[in-house]
């Protein structure tokens, strides 16, 4: 390992980090380096990897500190028994890379995770040291996301929150049974205990900032987690329920879903095939329904099929509307925001536009068509001044009419 060059280490450890999905930066505090003070900023322009609070895409250097690991999680390419090339950065090497990439305008921040080497606390100490050097010795103002280790000393996890914008702990799998089977070195109770501690630290820090102007910030972009989909037998209803409990109990900013990806020399207990990527997409859509459209978790679960899985051919919102047709049609000139958000094809922005427009005039179908992307999807579920769907909402073949057309793309199309 000592003979590896920095470039070779970067090749190995950047590739190993690609399985980590939880790296969005929404919610971070703005920092700038105007006046020649400090280095780095979350307010510049960059390549898209994550999103800043104002919606801009910013780029992050996303690497592992090391892919050595003493754990043997079956689904992980870096597990102890895996036959992969290993490499390890020192904290100073990560700092040098981050600053070097920033000065070349390649990145605007750092996402750092790690395999567990020696012990959880030793690894956490190394991760914190990277952030400490960047913040204290180089006055780095860019974004930092640290993946924390639930088994580490809580004091070290707390220090991570003092330096990082966002911290995250992976729950790994949707069910405790799946975690016991596929990650025997990890404990669901320990993971959720660490999440609870982070939540209380975040709340205390916010409270202190209200009373004392110079109180230190603690993970201003909050905490997030990641869940692997398709590695065990958990259904989409199980996953939605788990995500809902995590949002409620720990006030997470995001739950990320990562479709299980077969790895080299995989364990025999893992499925041979990856789940369809569209399943991951449907779970993100269901997550969106709970966070922005006012759906309760139980309502999203009602959109699943008899086997507990979300349909793959239509989105969860349309699936729910087709199951509960008695809630439609919705009168766009009279309905409240909550009712309009239930209409398939109407997004948050379209609903805002409808609410603003109807203050000035009674809306017709053509007016709604100008405010939405696809009136065909919306039409069976709304009433306007000149339109009522009559029997369209009750048609037995409505799902077939509204499902996106599946077509084979031409291999050599121009």
């Amino acid at each position: 390992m000592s003979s590896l060059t920095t470039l070779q280490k970067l090749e190995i450890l950047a590739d190993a980090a690609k399985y980590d999905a939880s790296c969005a930066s929404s919610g971070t505090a703005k920092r700038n380096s105007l006046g020649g003070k400090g280095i780095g900023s979350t307010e510049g322009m960059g390549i898209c990897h994550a999103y800043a609070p104002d919606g801009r895409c910013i780029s992050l250097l996303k690497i592992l500190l090391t892919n050595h690991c003493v754990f043997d999680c079956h689904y992980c390419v870096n597990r102890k028994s895996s036959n992969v090339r290993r490499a390890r950065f020192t904290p100073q090497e990560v700092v040098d890379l981050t600053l070097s990439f920033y000065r070349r305008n390649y990145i605007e921040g750092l996402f750092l995770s790690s395999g567990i080497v020696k012990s959880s606390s030793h690894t956490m100490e190394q991760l914190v040291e990277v952030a400490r050097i960047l913040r204290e010795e180089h006055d780095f103002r860019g974004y930092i996301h640290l993946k924390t280790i639930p088994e580490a000393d809580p004091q070290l996890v707390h220090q991570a929150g003092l330096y990082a914008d966002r911290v995250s702990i992976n729950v790994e799998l949707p069910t405790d049974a799946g975690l016991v089977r596929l990650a025997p070195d990890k404990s669901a109770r320990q993971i959720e205990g660490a999440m609870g501690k982070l939540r209380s630290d975040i709340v205390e820090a916010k409270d202190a900032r209200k009373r004392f102007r110079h109180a230190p910030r603690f993970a201003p972009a909050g905490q997030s987690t990641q869940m692997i989909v398709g590695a065990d037998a958990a259904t989409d209803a199980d996953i939605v329920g788990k995500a809902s409990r995590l949002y409620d109990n720990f006030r997470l900013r995001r739950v990320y879903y990562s479709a299980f990806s077969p790895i080299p020399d995989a364990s025999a207990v893992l499925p041979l095939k990856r789940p369809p990527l569209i399943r991951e997409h449907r779970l993100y859509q269901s997550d969106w329904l709970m966070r922005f459209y006012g759906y309760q978790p139980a309502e999203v679960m009602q959109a699943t099929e008899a086997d507990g899985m979300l349909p793959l051919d239509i989105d969860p919102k349309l699936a729910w509307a087709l199951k509960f047709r008695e809630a439609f049609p919705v009168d766009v000139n009279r309905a409240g925001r909550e009712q309009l958000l239930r209409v398939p094809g109407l997004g948050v922005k379209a609903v805002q536009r409808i609410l603003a427009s109807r203050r000035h005039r009674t809306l017709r179908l053509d007016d709604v068509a100008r405010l939405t992307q696809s009136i065909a999807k919306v039409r069976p579920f709304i009433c306007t001044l000149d339109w009522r769907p009559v029997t369209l909402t009750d048609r037995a073949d409505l799902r077939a009419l509204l499902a996106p057309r599946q077509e084979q793309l031409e291999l050599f199309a121009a």
Side-chain angles (χ1 to χ4, degrees):
M1 185 181 70
S2 58
S3 62
L4 292 177
T5 65
T6 301
L7 192 59
Q8 289 170 323
K9 290 181 186 179
L10 188 60
E11 181 183 358
I12 295 169
L13 295 174
D15 184 68
K18 69 185 178 185
Y19 299 98
D20 219 316
S22 52
C23 62
S25 60
S26 54
T28 182
K30 287 185 177 182
R31 296 190 186 90
N32 65 59
S33 51
L34 294 176
K37 296 179 179 178
I39 185 170
S41 168
T42 54
E43 297 185 327
M45 302 293 289
I47 302 169
C48 176
H49 279 282
Y51 289 91
D54 55 5
R56 284 178 306 101
C57 293
I58 62 173
S59 57
L60 303 176
L61 173 61
K62 183 178 174 184
I63 56 174
L64 299 187
L65 188 67
T66 177
N67 63 345
H68 287 273
C69 194
V70 297
F71 286 0
D72 204 26
C73 305
H74 291 284
Y75 50 80
C76 182
V77 71
N78 299 317
R79 69 188 188 279
K80 181 172 59 179
S81 57
S82 177
N83 184 27
V84 296
R85 293 177 70 198
R86 306 283 180 174
R88 182 178 176 182
F89 279 127
T90 65
Q92 189 60 51
E93 284 177 319
V94 176
V95 169
D96 293 342
L97 273 175
T98 304
L99 295 179
S100 175
F101 277 35
Y102 183 82
R103 290 187 173 112
R104 287 174 170 80
N105 199 28
Y106 294 165
I107 60 164
E108 293 165 281
L110 171 68
F111 174 94
L112 186 61
S113 184
S114 180
I116 312 297
V117 57
K118 291 187 181 178
S119 70
S120 299
S121 291
H122 173 78
T123 308
M124 194 70 242
E125 195 175 350
Q126 300 283 297
L127 293 170
V128 170
E129 180 64 5
V130 172
R132 187 199 66 78
I133 295 174
L134 281 170
R135 293 289 195 222
E136 293 187 354
E137 297 184 13
H138 298 279
D139 203 9
F140 184 70
R141 310 290 179 92
Y143 180 84
I144 296 179
H145 181 154
L146 287 184
K147 184 60 66 69
T148 60
I149 302 166
E151 297 83 8
D153 182 341
Q155 187 57 36
L156 289 170
V157 177
H158 180 81
Q159 286 180 24
L162 294 175
Y163 294 120
D165 294 273
R166 174 167 286 186
V167 288
S168 58
I169 297 174
N170 286 353
V171 295
E172 309 290 1
L173 293 160
T175 63
D176 293 353
L179 194 68
V180 170
R181 182 166 177 259
L182 299 181
D185 298 312
K186 298 191 174 182
S187 159
R189 179 174 295 182
Q190 204 163 27
I191 291 170
E192 296 200 2
M195 282 182 168
K197 176 68 167 58
L198 278 176
R199 183 202 169 188
S200 63
D201 288 346
I202 291 170
V203 171
E204 285 177 16
K206 283 183 178 176
D207 185 54
R209 292 278 297 180
K210 289 177 184 173
R211 290 181 291 161
F212 308 106
R213 184 181 173 188
H214 297 292
R217 289 178 179 274
F218 185 90
Q223 63 169 322
S224 60
T225 191
Q226 179 179 355
M227 212 182 297
I228 300 171
V229 174
D232 63 358
T235 65
D236 289 345
D238 295 330
I239 294 170
V240 169
K242 177 78 173 184
S244 172
R245 287 193 294 278
L246 293 174
Y247 280 125
D248 289 344
N249 295 340
F250 307 115
R251 296 289 185 267
L252 300 185
R253 283 297 180 92
R254 288 293 302 273
V255 175
Y256 292 90
Y257 306 101
S258 177
F260 164 70
S261 178
I263 54 179
D265 304 320
S267 165
V269 301
L270 292 173
L272 296 176
K273 289 184 178 179
R274 70 177 65 199
L277 283 177
I278 190 69
R279 184 183 173 195
E280 180 185 299
H281 179 61
R282 296 302 182 212
L283 285 168
Y284 275 115
Q285 288 179 320
S286 69
D287 195 81
W288 222 250
L289 291 183
M290 291 189 288
R291 296 170 60 213
F292 299 105
Y293 286 77
Y295 283 75
Q296 296 300 314
E299 292 177 309
V300 177
M301 291 180 201
Q302 288 171 340
T304 59
E305 307 282 9
D307 59 359
M309 307 297 279
L310 292 166
L312 299 180
D313 59 331
I314 57 175
D315 63 76
K317 190 176 177 184
L318 177 57
W320 186 89
L322 290 173
K323 273 193 173 182
F324 298 94
R325 300 188 189 194
E326 65 275 12
F328 302 95
V330 168
D331 188 339
V332 295
N333 288 300
R334 296 175 180 275
R337 183 175 184 275
E338 295 75 16
Q339 285 179 286
L340 290 171
L341 285 173
R342 301 265 166 158
V343 176
L346 289 186
V348 174
K349 286 185 178 178
V351 168
Q352 288 171 343
R353 289 170 184 160
I354 287 172
L355 293 174
S357 299
R358 74 186 192 187
R359 293 175 193 157
H360 307 287
R361 58 179 297 176
T362 304
L363 298 179
R364 296 174 176 273
L365 190 62
D366 287 346
D367 299 322
V368 178
R370 281 191 284 271
L371 300 174
T372 61
Q373 291 189 346
S374 171
I375 192 62
K377 188 174 182 180
V378 176
R379 194 162 42 191
F381 301 101
I382 61 169
C383 296
T384 62
L385 182 64
D386 59 343
W387 165 258
R388 292 191 71 85
V390 196
T391 59
L392 181 58
T393 309
D394 298 324
R395 285 182 57 157
D397 61 346
L398 185 58
R399 176 171 177 156
L401 287 174
L402 297 178
R405 289 180 56 194
Q406 306 290 326
E407 66 179 308
Q408 176 66 51
L409 298 177
E410 293 183 29
L411 188 59
F412 301 105

